[in-house]
Amino acid sequence: MTKIQVPLWLTSTAVVVALATGGVVGYAITSPQQSSDPNINKIVSTYEAINDGYYQKPDAKKLVNGAINGMVSSLDDPYSNLLQTDDKTSLDTTISASFGGIGAVLKNDQSKLLIDSVTADGAAKKAGLKPNDELVAINGKSTTGWSTSEAVAKIRGKVGTTVSVTIKRAGVNQTFKVKRQKITTETVAGTMDTKDKALGIIQISSFSEPTTDQLKATIKQLRKAGAKRFILDLRGNPGGLMPQALSIASMFLKNGQKIMTVEPRNGDSVTYRAGKDYDDGFKVTEPTAVLIDGQSASAAEITAAALNENRNILLIGEKSFGKGTVQNVNSLNETSELKLTVAKWLTPKGQWINHKGLMPTDKVPYPAAAKITMVTKASLKLGDTGTDVRSLQQMLAALKFNPGAVNGDYNETTASAVKAFQATNQLPTTGSADAQTLQILTTKLANQLHQDDPMINKARTVLSKESN
């Protein structure tokens, strides 16, 4: 999702605001103010007919939201939506890459919710919470049977508000009042390659408000560590804010080079070019390769296309998602907002990639093990069948523990493979895949995939040749 300022040609916004703020709510006898647009009069007349004549008193809020949802759904556009309450909060959190929290990480250990760690200067530590405290209640409600995600959802809230957290420590329950603080999410992660000491690997998970600053800081750190070339990993990046894509692309380009063109339905097209206004003079001239896959979308595609078409920076991986449209987010009131597609964007060479995606310069598919579906059940045992068992068998096979036929049947051969895995990892050799076994199995597979990443291997080889 990209976000730009509300343009003057977005006339439909005024209509939505008028409906959402109750300008016609409760109107009964007198005729409404007539609009010059007969379609608007039709909407108002329909609202009044239902509000005044329906045999039961309708919910005005539902009527208005139904009208808005009906208009938006008629566009047949998956990126235009009316967002309310939780959906609005989720989008706002994604855009800002921040939320109201207490600065603590939770984990699930044998059906117990434990505090795994607390931030050094976070609210949780200041309040007195410690690692390994068992979380037993939030705002007086027992957390028995809760997942970590359910607990996190209850702990988070508006910055400055207070949450009551009850923990068990040394067998004694204690309750702490913790004031929520602003927690900023890291959208950029940088590491030095273990095989090439001059290669910095940068992963951008989304294009949110702090992403540009986080990327600059990451590049500076990697340069200090000896990085002379970079891999920019945009795999799995769903996009985000257009201004962040412009700033980041500009860092890698010469001033004046075209980043993208935005074409609204009405009004003139706007071409954006690299320059100090976007990157503040911070430039990245080192050899770079970009990784993309089928989940690289929107702002990630803007950046990848700009780097590829201007600097011939290689795109390595799989075809990108193909989202070539721009959305505005318009606030309707405190609990709802309208996300609306308002334009399409083109690459520097004028390509519209919508539903087509960017083709990688070097096509490198994911290994089969990377496409294994995660196990959803808490545990599996002898005699179980189904897709979760099949996933278990695939993971065991990928880690060289022979489960027999990968057929979704938890038989004696699969149980023997689980026992072998458990013995290798100092776990009780029960042959049943309990929660701890599944967690370690998943971690081991992820580590193996990370260490032998074919896309990074390809990028490493290409950049090494460019530098020699």
Side-chain angles (χ1 to χ4, degrees):
M1 188 272 302
T2 52
K3 181 178 180 181
I4 59 177
Q5 296 298 316
V6 179
L8 295 176
W9 36 266
L10 186 56
T11 56
S12 59
T13 302
V15 175
V16 175
V17 171
L19 289 172
T21 54
V24 295
V25 174
Y27 188 89
I29 301 174
T30 59
S31 298
Q33 181 178 355
Q34 293 295 303
S35 167
S36 59
D37 187 341
N39 292 316
I40 300 302
N41 294 330
K42 186 177 180 181
I43 294 172
V44 174
S45 297
T46 301
Y47 172 87
E48 292 184 341
I50 296 173
N51 190 55
D52 298 343
Y54 189 61
Y55 83 105
Q56 292 180 334
K57 180 65 178 176
D59 185 310
K61 186 175 181 180
K62 287 184 177 180
L63 282 181
V64 171
N65 288 337
I68 298 172
N69 275 317
M71 287 189 285
V72 173
S73 64
S74 72
L75 300 174
D76 196 24
D77 175 14
Y79 308 116
S80 294
N81 313 101
L82 173 64
L83 304 175
Q84 301 182 81
T85 56
D86 290 347
D87 290 334
K88 177 183 181 298
T89 300
S90 178
L91 178 63
D92 293 347
T93 298
T94 300
I95 289 173
S96 66
S98 65
F99 56 89
I102 63 173
V105 177
L106 303 182
K107 66 178 180 181
N108 198 312
D109 186 7
Q110 297 181 347
S111 299
K112 293 182 180 179
L113 285 175
L114 302 179
I115 295 178
D116 187 45
S117 62
V118 292
T119 306
D121 296 321
K125 185 172 184 178
K126 291 178 181 178
L129 298 175
K130 299 179 180 180
N132 295 318
D133 283 343
E134 181 183 351
L135 183 62
V136 296
I138 300 172
N139 289 330
K141 294 184 179 180
S142 172
T143 60
T144 301
W146 285 17
S147 66
T148 54
S149 58
E150 288 174 313
V152 166
K154 295 295 183 183
I155 289 175
R156 290 184 182 182
K158 187 176 181 180
V159 174
T161 59
T162 300
V163 60
S164 174
V165 178
T166 303
I167 57 96
K168 181 183 288 186
R169 184 186 300 163
V172 178
N173 285 1
Q174 302 178 54
T175 298
F176 298 83
K177 299 288 186 180
V178 189
K179 183 179 288 188
R180 297 180 177 100
Q181 62 181 166
K182 181 179 179 180
I183 307 293
T184 300
T185 304
E186 292 295 328
T187 62
V188 181
T191 58
M192 292 299 294
D193 186 34
T194 57
K195 298 179 181 179
D196 182 346
K197 301 303 182 181
L199 177 61
I201 301 174
I202 304 167
Q203 183 178 38
I204 303 179
S205 59
S206 68
F207 286 73
S208 303
E209 288 174 356
T211 303
T212 297
D213 290 338
Q214 290 176 355
L215 178 59
K216 288 180 180 179
T218 299
I219 290 173
K220 289 176 181 178
Q221 291 170 358
L222 292 175
R223 282 173 172 166
K224 286 183 179 180
K228 304 296 182 184
R229 43 192 173 269
F230 296 110
I231 292 175
L232 193 62
D233 189 350
L234 300 180
R235 294 175 297 180
N237 186 318
L241 300 176
M242 192 177 97
Q244 301 297 320
L246 294 173
S247 296
I248 291 170
S250 184
M251 292 182 199
F252 292 84
L253 304 180
K254 294 179 181 179
N255 290 346
Q257 287 185 314
K258 187 186 295 185
I259 300 173
M260 66 183 296
T261 298
V262 173
E263 292 188 347
R265 186 187 70 186
N266 301 312
D268 297 331
S269 298
V270 180
T271 295
Y272 298 87
R273 297 181 182 276
K276 192 173 181 179
D277 288 345
Y278 293 121
D279 57 39
D280 292 325
F282 184 88
K283 293 294 186 179
V284 184
T285 58
E286 291 91 339
T288 301
V290 176
L291 308 184
I292 59 173
D293 66 5
Q295 299 305 311
S296 303
S298 192
E301 293 174 300
I302 291 171
T303 302
L307 272 57
N308 174 251
E309 294 185 5
N310 283 293
R311 274 186 57 184
N312 293 319
I313 287 176
L314 298 182
L315 306 182
I316 297 172
E318 299 180 334
K319 186 179 74 170
S320 67
F321 182 81
K323 181 177 178 294
T325 55
V326 177
Q327 282 71 44
N328 265 344
V329 178
N330 306 303
S331 177
L332 303 182
N333 55 36
E334 290 185 357
T335 61
S336 62
E337 57 194 14
L338 178 67
K339 181 160 70 76
L340 184 67
T341 299
V342 295
K344 64 181 183 180
W345 67 268
L346 308 178
T347 72
K349 292 185 177 180
Q351 297 185 75
W352 191 36
I353 66 165
N354 208 45
H355 303 307
K356 300 175 183 176
L358 295 170
M359 294 302 298
T361 316
D362 288 82
K363 186 174 182 180
V364 180
Y366 279 112
K371 300 178 181 179
I372 297 173
T373 304
M374 295 295 294
V375 175
T376 59
K377 291 184 178 179
S379 63
L380 296 167
K381 63 183 184 304
L382 187 67
D384 285 345
T385 59
T387 55
D388 278 337
V389 175
R390 181 180 176 83
S391 294
L392 169 66
Q393 293 169 331
Q394 289 174 324
M395 287 192 284
L396 289 166
L399 292 171
K400 310 301 183 186
F401 292 91
N402 182 16
V406 179
N407 56 9
D409 180 12
Y410 202 130
N411 51 31
E412 292 289 352
T413 307
T414 300
S416 295
V418 171
K419 285 183 180 180
F421 176 82
Q422 290 170 329
T424 301
N425 292 278
Q426 291 78 51
L427 297 170
T429 54
T430 62
S432 295
D434 59 9
Q436 187 177 18
T437 298
L438 290 172
Q439 180 181 2
I440 294 176
L441 182 65
T442 302
T443 301
K444 292 286 184 181
L445 180 59
N447 290 340
Q448 176 177 291
L449 291 170
H450 179 72
Q451 292 170 5
D452 190 27
D453 187 323
M455 298 178 192
I456 287 181
N457 289 342
K458 178 65 176 180
R460 183 190 298 117
T461 300
V462 170
L463 290 174
S464 178
K465 289 180 179 178
E466 286 185 6
S467 302
N468 292 333

